[in-house]
Amino acid sequence: MGKINTILFDLDGTLVDSNEIIIQSFKETFKHYQPNVEYTREQIIEMIGPPLKETFKIVSEEPQVINEMIAYYRTFYQKHEFEYIKLYDNVIETLKKLSELDINLGIVTTKFEESAMPSINLFSIDKYIKNYSFLGSVSEHKPSPEPVFYVLKQFDCVDKALMIGDNPSDILAGKNAGILTCGIEWTLVKDRLKATNPDFWIKDYKEILEIVEKEI
């Protein structure tokens, strides 16, 4: 028995509501490279989560084409990011209180560092979270446990850890790493997320404070 002293968060769709800019970036990229194919919003939502190089294989297996699509996507994303993104309710307040409780805080994202840090810095998330796993930090990505282990090793002492995310790959990465997991109510893929059977489920960030007070 013991209390959670380490929490890892996914970034997009978990801490930061970037769903709309991600959807629009996909739409514009597909429109440019597949002008005769129209993906529905629901189809695009199902694509959110994995690295872009995996997602864009539905268009081409050619590395050059995939790299061009990634560059096009990122250009649109970076140009319009701040028009769309926002924090979910009670994120900063909760991170502040967790930090005051000396909870280790980290982020595990499938974004490259240069793509992830603008939103992290914009909302001052970096004031509370110092340890990260970005795409490229390790050789494998979620649902592999490797990025989870990568962040956990950055802390001096980990007793019990919790992975929080909005995508099935987040929960599976936590489970594969042997740590506790938590799903979120505001996910766009609620049925698929619940099907992974996370240990906890929250409807508001403040509920995390209740979880860390429990002896587990």
Side-chain angles (χ1 to χ4, degrees):
M1 298 289 286
K3 293 183 179 181
I4 293 167
N5 78 327
T6 303
I7 299 179
L8 307 183
F9 299 89
D10 172 52
L11 178 61
D12 292 291
T14 300
L15 289 169
V16 176
D17 184 356
S18 53
N19 289 322
E20 196 57 40
I21 180 57
I22 290 173
I23 291 169
Q24 294 304 321
S25 298
F26 272 126
K27 279 187 174 181
E28 290 299 317
T29 304
F30 288 133
K31 186 187 299 183
H32 184 79
Y33 286 91
Q34 285 187 309
N36 297 322
V37 179
E38 185 172 348
Y39 293 95
T40 66
R41 185 179 181 87
E42 290 70 27
Q43 287 174 317
I44 291 175
I45 286 172
E46 291 297 316
M47 299 175 189
I48 297 175
L52 294 174
K53 68 177 182 179
E54 300 295 332
T55 303
F56 288 146
K57 285 181 180 178
I58 65 173
V59 176
S60 174
E61 292 284 341
E62 291 293 327
Q64 181 177 344
V65 175
I66 292 173
N67 288 336
E68 289 176 0
M69 292 182 71
I70 291 173
Y72 191 95
Y73 175 103
R74 287 181 179 155
T75 298
F76 182 90
Y77 188 104
Q78 290 167 2
K79 182 178 180 180
H80 299 282
E81 179 176 11
F82 296 155
E83 300 171 23
Y84 290 96
I85 63 169
K86 58 185 178 181
L87 274 181
Y88 289 106
D89 291 342
N90 300 316
V91 167
I92 293 300
E93 297 90 333
T94 301
L95 293 179
K96 182 176 185 294
K97 290 179 180 178
L98 290 171
S99 182
E100 290 170 351
L101 292 170
D102 292 324
I103 303 294
N104 299 320
L105 302 175
I107 286 177
V108 180
T109 177
T110 52
K111 273 185 171 178
F112 283 107
E113 182 174 358
E114 60 268 28
S115 299
M117 289 310 298
S119 58
I120 291 172
N121 292 333
L122 175 68
F123 297 115
S124 298
I125 293 171
D126 57 322
K127 182 177 179 180
Y128 305 102
I129 299 182
K130 306 296 184 184
N131 296 338
Y132 308 91
S133 176
F134 302 104
L135 188 63
S137 296
V138 290
S139 60
E140 297 184 5
H141 57 78
K142 298 177 289 188
S144 165
E146 189 176 2
V148 174
F149 290 142
Y150 179 81
V151 178
L152 292 178
K153 289 177 182 177
Q154 296 176 39
F155 298 113
D156 293 330
C157 179
V158 176
D159 296 324
K160 285 185 181 293
L162 175 71
M163 177 72 202
I164 301 177
D166 71 307
N167 192 277
S169 64
D170 301 317
I171 304 304
L172 293 175
K175 287 180 176 290
N176 290 335
I179 67 174
L180 296 165
T181 57
C182 179
I184 56 178
E185 183 72 17
W186 53 93
T187 175
L188 295 180
V189 289
K190 189 179 295 184
D191 289 343
R192 288 202 295 123
L193 191 64
K194 284 192 171 182
T196 62
N197 296 312
D199 299 289
F200 301 97
W201 188 271
I202 59 171
K203 297 182 179 180
D204 187 287
Y205 261 98
K206 291 180 179 179
E207 294 176 46
I208 297 174
L209 299 170
E210 300 173 12
I211 293 174
V212 299
E213 287 300 318
K214 295 179 179 180
E215 289 282 343
I216 300 171

